[in-house]
Amino acid sequence: MPSLSGDVGGLRLENPLMLAAGILGTTGASMRRVALAGAGAVVTKSIGVEPRDGHPGPTVVRLGVGLINAMGLPNPSYRVFQEEIDVAREGGVPVVASIFGSSPEEFAEIASALDADGFELNLSCPHAEGYGMEIGCDPANVEEITRAVRRAVSVPVWVKLTPNVTDIRVLGIAAQRGGADAVVAINTLKAMAIDVESGYPILGNVIGGLSGPAIKPVALRCVYELSGALEIPVIGVGGVSCWQDAVEMIMAGAAGVQIGTALMGGLEVIGEITNGISRFLDRKGWNLDDIRGIARRRGSSAPSKEYPPSASSSTSKSFDEGETHKEVL
């Protein structure tokens, strides 16, 4: 069988499939189980400076096409989370700490205090006031926060981007300018659900984030666009539930693939996906490098090199001068 190992955003992984933040990442024991089930790496629940209870319930709505959640970033604070990371490492794969804050200083504080194999900066949660998407929609914030963490640590730094913007490439370029080793795309889409009998919004926070199969086409589009605009790797996440979904992500340009909502069906899906990728590559006589970004190489209408002006003149200037733009293959 073809090897699935390789470098993803500065980490050496035995396979490109990872646990996404927010699912089974609260305890070291659950992350260790995911690792032992065959994941190439695990990403923790997002951790902040102070403990948070999150939003009042209901916090999750199950739909036929996925889930809407409005957890509100509940976490015990980074000050008591190192033990969970240490336990997760017993699974034998890299452990990436997802962290959030309201300022560059808070992000740097958390990253400096935790011993992890990498950090994923949550600049994309759509349902936590003052955090996530609220600050991550501004390219200047993305660049400044990324740079602060990059200066504070010597391990890989990934930036998880929100799709709830006009053009996600602007945010990706800002993360790259700040020194990110990779970007992760995407977080959930803003969504809501209403109880028709009462007329009340179902979620306690009213607005939440949609995940699951419904958002996969959006995630694929974002990975495709980002991989054509950036020199750093893109990690795809959103709606991956089978090996075909993972292959699509890689064909769109993803260096790695994260899985979240699909794990509600059981950890065996991890082995099913990785084995499916291996069998597919073997049947086609290909390897991962052969299929990575193949959709761009074979696409009939690749994006133009002309890029719309961004909110940040420095970001736009960098792209126009070709400093961060990957030539279309």
Side-chain angles (χ1 to χ4, degrees), residues 84-248:
E84 305 301 340
I85 294 175
D86 295 340
V87 172
R89 279 176 162 159
E90 295 173 4
V93 303
V95 178
V96 177
S98 174
I99 62 175
F100 72 94
S102 62
S103 67
E105 292 76 19
E106 285 192 358
F107 274 91
E109 174 186 342
I110 300 167
S112 299
L114 290 177
D115 177 17
D117 298 300
F119 290 94
E120 182 177 284
L121 313 186
N122 184 346
L123 290 170
S124 47
C125 175
H127 48 75
E129 184 176 356
Y131 300 102
M133 189 189 79
E134 286 201 5
I135 59 176
C137 282
D138 183 341
N141 287 340
V142 172
E143 182 175 343
E144 187 178 0
I145 290 168
T146 304
R147 182 171 288 112
V149 177
R150 177 70 284 162
R151 289 172 174 169
V153 302
S154 59
V155 296
V157 176
W158 303 346
V159 180
K160 192 167 186 178
L161 306 176
T162 177
N164 299 298
V165 291
T166 302
D167 194 332
I168 196 171
R169 291 174 294 181
V170 174
L171 302 180
I173 291 169
Q176 180 171 275
R177 287 177 59 86
D181 295 279
V183 296
V184 182
I186 57 178
N187 209 319
T188 55
L189 297 170
K190 290 186 73 174
M192 70 177 296
I194 298 172
D195 174 50
V196 296
E197 296 298 328
S198 66
Y200 280 97
I202 296 177
L203 292 170
N205 189 59
V206 181
I207 302 297
L210 176 65
S211 65
I215 74 168
K216 190 192 76 174
V218 178
L220 280 173
R221 185 264 301 171
C222 290
V223 169
Y224 183 88
E225 291 180 342
L226 287 164
S227 66
L230 303 180
E231 295 293 341
I232 58 176
V234 180
I235 297 167
V237 57
V240 174
S241 59
C242 62
W243 71 262
Q244 292 95 333
D245 294 337
V247 167
E248 277 193 89

Side-chain angles (χ1 to χ4, degrees), residues 8-29:
V8 178
L11 294 178
R12 185 70 182 181
L13 307 186
E14 288 303 310
N15 70 73
L17 192 66
M18 295 171 266
L19 172 69
I23 303 290
L24 297 177
T26 302
T27 69

